[in-house]
Amino acid sequence: MSFDILLIFSLLLIALGAGFMLLSIVKSQNILDLLKKQSGYLAWKILRFLMCFFLVGYCLALFLLINQQWQLLPILIGLVFCLGSLFVLLNVNIYHYTFQQLLATRVSQEVYRQAQIATETALIELQRTQAKLIQSEKMSSLGQTVAGIAHEINNPVSFVHGNLRYIEQYTQVMLHLIELYHQYLPHPPTEIQAELDAIDLDFIKQDMTKILHSMNAGTTRIKNIVLSLRNFSSLDRAEIKEVDIHEGIDSTLLILSHRLNATSTRPQISLVKDYEALPKVECNAGQLNQAFMNILANAIDAIDEQSVTQNKNQLASNLGEITIRTSIVNQFVQIAIADNGCGIPESIQGEIFNPFFTTKQIGQGTGMGLSISYHIICEQHRGQINCLSTPGKLTEFTILIPIKM
């Protein structure tokens, strides 16, 4: 009786999984319609084919359970594990590629707009207007796109992550059953013993548990990244709301974490966080996150530029470091972001917040990052932003945000 209940429960779970995968296949059609004849379309087609393959696997699992074909279930489970890892990896690669394409498109649009400015008088006024409009449009379109893609990734990943717990339980049940067989039949027939020796059952038992733990850690990591992307876009929040500044900084750091990794020209950039207890701040979280991202991205660029001019001994003794400190100053929250990169020459320190001013090469930025940050912090949040830089040693941006607007 208990076996029948377990079988029915397994059938229901697999049928539910098949339903979720079918829903994901239907929803992925919306993305394919948007990307038709554009870059990334083929990758999404492959991902959709993999979803269909999963759906066939679920149907096959239902068939095997109904017909009690137990000998084929381990092969099917192994195939699901393998394809599940491939599915997660493909999801991450597609999202990273799509996000990079969006940023590259944005850069191209800004360069084109700069080329259209005709006269010096019109340039001054147009720069201020464009800085505001582009910032607003950028956060709106980028936030919606990020949140949409995060939602599409979250559905299949949540399915895989949710079912890993059951797969682990079923695996332990099967391993326990094998142990019981071994206990009560210590001397199996020759054919079975030969198969046990061939497959190295002890190794499989150990490795299967490790694989399940690795897959669980991987899907948990993806879910945390998706959550940080949603927090960064802040589409589910009101325009002005009390928020945790540390949460916004950490979400931004998670998005930029890949840029902190070691490269062919420098070791990994170390990150030092010195957070004090802060009250919640009335602000537009999405806009502040954009300001933090611009400043942190510039800090990483400065360290990268510094590393190009250093030899191996200098790199080993002067590792790249970004320090973030928070504190309360009167009725303001203070955020200090410092780096030990190339610094800013004294001759241009007074111009860094001007629209379109940049020292970067063409294609490395729009020249509006610090201007937008200044607009967000000073004009929209009635705060302050200051910069102190010693070329070749240190650059520190100090931000003051009023606790109550």
Side-chain angles (χ1 to χ4, degrees):
M1 182 64 181
S2 60
F3 179 80
D4 292 338
I5 294 175
L6 182 61
L7 178 60
I8 294 174
F9 184 67
S10 301
L11 291 173
L12 289 176
L13 285 177
I14 296 175
L16 184 61
F20 286 153
M21 187 56 64
L22 181 60
L23 181 60
S24 299
I25 293 172
V26 173
K27 284 184 172 292
S28 65
Q29 185 60 45
N30 297 333
I31 298 178
L32 291 176
D33 293 338
L34 291 174
L35 293 178
K36 190 169 293 183
K37 297 182 180 179
Q38 297 184 23
S39 58
Y41 178 77
L42 180 59
W44 278 98
K45 286 283 288 185
I46 295 173
L47 185 61
R48 193 165 191 263
F49 171 78
L50 194 56
M51 291 179 185
C52 295
F53 201 88
F54 264 109
L55 186 59
V56 173
Y58 296 141
C59 294
L60 181 58
L62 285 171
F63 174 81
L64 293 177
L65 283 176
I66 292 173
N67 290 274
Q68 300 185 3
Q69 299 292 323
W70 312 117
Q71 66 276 15
L72 296 179
L73 281 177
I75 298 176
L76 183 61
I77 291 174
L79 185 61
V80 169
F81 286 168
C82 179
L83 291 178
S85 300
L86 177 62
F87 186 75
V88 171
L89 177 62
L90 190 57
N91 264 290
V92 173
N93 287 339
I94 288 175
Y95 176 76
H96 181 265
Y97 175 77
T98 305
F99 191 73
Q100 291 295 333
Q101 288 296 314
L102 289 172
L103 292 181
T105 301
R106 186 65 59 187
V107 170
S108 299
Q109 290 175 350
E110 297 304 332
V111 172
Y112 177 78
R113 290 192 181 197
Q114 292 181 50
Q116 304 304 308
I117 301 175
T119 64
E120 187 67 23
T121 303
L123 176 63
I124 297 174
E125 186 62 28
L126 185 60
Q127 285 172 341
R128 292 181 59 85
T129 304
Q130 284 182 332
K132 296 177 181 179
L133 292 177
I134 290 174
Q135 186 272 330
S136 177
E137 189 273 338
K138 181 176 182 178
M139 286 305 299
S140 176
S141 61
L142 182 60
Q144 291 177 16
T145 303
V146 167
I149 294 176
H151 176 73
E152 291 297 334
I153 293 177
N154 190 56
N155 279 342
V157 170
S158 295
F159 165 75
V160 174
H161 183 79
N163 280 282
L164 281 176
R165 178 163 58 92
Y166 298 108
I167 292 176
E168 186 172 8
Q169 292 176 359
Y170 300 156
T171 301
Q172 295 302 322
V173 170
M174 294 174 65
L175 291 177
H176 178 65
L177 181 60
I178 293 174
E179 290 293 335
L180 288 177
Y181 271 108
H182 183 71
Q183 179 180 349
Y184 289 99
L185 295 174
H187 304 291
T190 304
E191 184 178 356
I192 295 178
Q193 186 62 50
E195 184 67 19
L196 289 174
D197 295 337
I199 65 175
D200 193 355
L201 183 60
D202 290 336
F203 171 77
I204 290 177
K205 289 190 293 185
Q206 296 176 5
D207 198 46
M208 185 177 294
T209 302
K210 294 179 181 179
I211 290 173
L212 285 170
H213 289 166
S214 297
M215 292 177 66
N216 188 66
T219 54
T220 300
R221 171 69 173 168
I222 295 175
K223 287 173 69 67
N224 289 336
I225 292 174
V226 170
L227 179 60
S228 294
L229 290 172
R230 295 177 65 180
N231 289 339
F232 177 79
S233 62
S234 298
L235 291 180
D236 55 344
R237 299 180 179 178
E239 286 293 316
I240 301 296
K241 186 178 180 180
E242 289 188 345
V243 300
D244 185 348
I245 290 293
H246 292 156
E247 181 182 316
I249 296 174
D250 290 340
S251 296
T252 305
L253 287 172
L254 185 58
I255 294 173
L256 291 172
S257 61
H258 68 283
R259 294 199 57 195
L260 301 175
N261 296 332
T263 66
S264 58
T265 59
R266 61 157 174 80
Q268 180 171 341
I269 298 175
S270 63
L271 184 65
V272 179
K273 295 192 288 187
D274 183 9
Y275 289 172
E276 288 189 9
L278 300 179
K280 290 192 174 183
V281 177
E282 286 185 356
C283 64
N284 185 309
Q287 291 182 354
L288 274 187
N289 290 345
Q290 179 66 42
F292 295 149
M293 173 169 281
N294 292 340
I295 295 172
L296 288 167
N298 279 344
I300 297 172
D301 290 340
I303 293 174
D304 286 341
E305 186 175 340
Q306 176 88 325
S307 65
V308 173
T309 62
Q310 294 179 331
N311 56 40
K312 291 184 178 180
N313 292 332
Q314 289 175 319
L315 285 173
S317 61
N318 188 27
L319 298 178
E321 181 178 277
I322 296 176
T323 303
I324 304 175
R325 302 190 308 275
T326 62
S327 58
I328 300 177
V329 179
N330 297 326
Q331 298 301 313
F332 292 82
V333 166
Q334 178 176 280
I335 305 102
I337 302 174
D339 69 81
N340 60 348
C342 62
I344 303 173
E346 293 183 5
S347 59
I348 63 172
Q349 288 184 17
E351 303 180 64
I352 59 175
F353 296 118
N354 293 337
F356 295 104
F357 177 81
T358 183
T359 59
K360 298 178 181 179
Q361 300 296 324
I362 295 176
Q364 293 183 352
T366 63
M368 292 184 62
L370 293 179
S371 172
I372 290 174
S373 298
Y374 181 90
H375 170 71
I376 292 172
I377 294 167
C378 298
E379 298 183 23
Q380 295 192 350
H381 288 85
R382 297 191 298 235
Q384 301 175 28
I385 179 170
N386 298 297
C387 176
L388 175 64
S389 181
T390 302
K393 293 185 178 180
L394 174 74
T395 299
E396 182 175 71
F397 285 88
T398 303
I399 302 167
L400 291 174
I401 302 295
I403 297 174
K404 299 289 184 181
M405 291 192 64

